[in-house]
Amino acid sequence: MPSSYQGPSRKDKMSATTHSQSSESNLKHDTATVRKVLQSKGADVFALRPQNTLHEAVEMLRDKRVGALIVKDSEGKLQGILSERDIVRKLAETPGQTLAQRVEDVMTTNVETCELDDPLISVLRKMTDGRFRHMPVIDDGNLVGIVSIGDVVNYRLNELEYEALQLKQLIVG
């Protein structure tokens, strides 16, 4: 036995126990909301005007490395959304003549939006049912961000990873 070893004493059992982990604290689950996704990914919104050309839109999509752009009027009010899918459809309809067309002639004008406190599950359901991948976020009538299906999935994967770590700590102790 090493010389530094000291057997347990009565005093050891009297030490204060900590309660930093419990099954309740480890399994506590807040509802995932749009706000939480924007806090983790950022609220950058890349927008253009209805009068811009598809050529300008394609360059912005490429440069910003995003899949959709918000279309706003001169007062900053949401007019529509332009996605890669919208552009591909127009390319198929008007080959060789697409990039000169204006955004307002191609964008989706009936835009589904969500709010900061909407649960992610309802946003994901709307995206899946509507077969679209980007949704503008509105707060008090103002555009405050955009979430993609990828953002939602990534947030949930990170959440699951964290939950798995918590469960592992609970089991291991």
Side-chain angles (χ1 to χ4, degrees):
M1 190 175 304
S3 60
S4 62
Y5 175 77
Q6 291 183 356
S9 69
R10 190 177 287 174
K11 191 175 176 185
D12 291 337
K13 291 182 181 180
M14 295 174 65
S15 66
T17 57
T18 63
H19 298 283
S20 61
Q21 289 189 22
S22 68
S23 57
E24 184 179 305
S25 68
N26 281 332
L27 299 176
K28 184 179 170 190
H29 184 68
D30 294 332
T31 301
T33 62
V34 171
R35 181 184 311 272
K36 291 180 182 177
V37 170
L38 289 184
Q39 285 170 345
S40 66
K41 84 158 215 157
D44 289 342
V45 176
F46 301 109
L48 37 67
R49 298 272 173 84
Q51 299 77 25
N52 286 107
T53 64
L54 288 184
H55 184 265
E56 293 168 310
V58 168
E59 286 180 333
M60 188 180 286
L61 287 167
R62 178 199 63 205
D63 295 346
K64 302 301 184 185
R65 300 177 61 140
V66 294
L69 299 167
I70 297 297
V71 183
K72 295 194 228 177
D73 64 15
S74 57
E75 287 89 47
K77 188 170 169 138
L78 179 68
Q79 296 296 302
I81 189 168
L82 180 71
S83 70
E84 294 166 327
R85 200 179 279 175
D86 295 327
I87 296 168
V88 168
R89 275 193 208 104
K90 191 50 96 171
L91 279 169
E93 292 170 10
T94 58
Q97 304 164 18
T98 306
L99 294 179
Q101 294 182 44
R102 289 163 37 138
V103 168
E104 64 191 345
D105 299 325
V106 183
M107 70 184 187
T108 300
T109 54
N110 186 17
V111 183
E112 286 273 351
T113 63
C114 60
E115 296 185 8
L116 287 171
D117 293 323
D118 285 352
L120 287 186
I121 192 71
S122 69
V123 171
L124 200 51
R125 176 71 55 220
K126 280 184 186 179
M127 288 179 171
T128 303
D129 292 347
R131 299 179 56 87
F132 55 89
R133 297 177 295 199
H134 300 85
M135 190 180 285
V137 182
I138 306 295
D139 183 40
D140 199 26
N142 298 314
L143 180 70
V144 294
I146 186 167
V147 291
S148 72
I149 203 159
D151 297 331
V152 175
V153 169
N154 187 51
Y155 181 87
R156 185 63 182 130
L157 285 174
N158 287 336
E159 200 176 49
L160 287 171
E161 204 172 277
Y162 181 68
E163 287 172 13
L165 179 63
Q166 287 181 315
L167 286 172
K168 186 176 179 181
Q169 287 175 342
L170 179 66
I171 292 166
V172 174

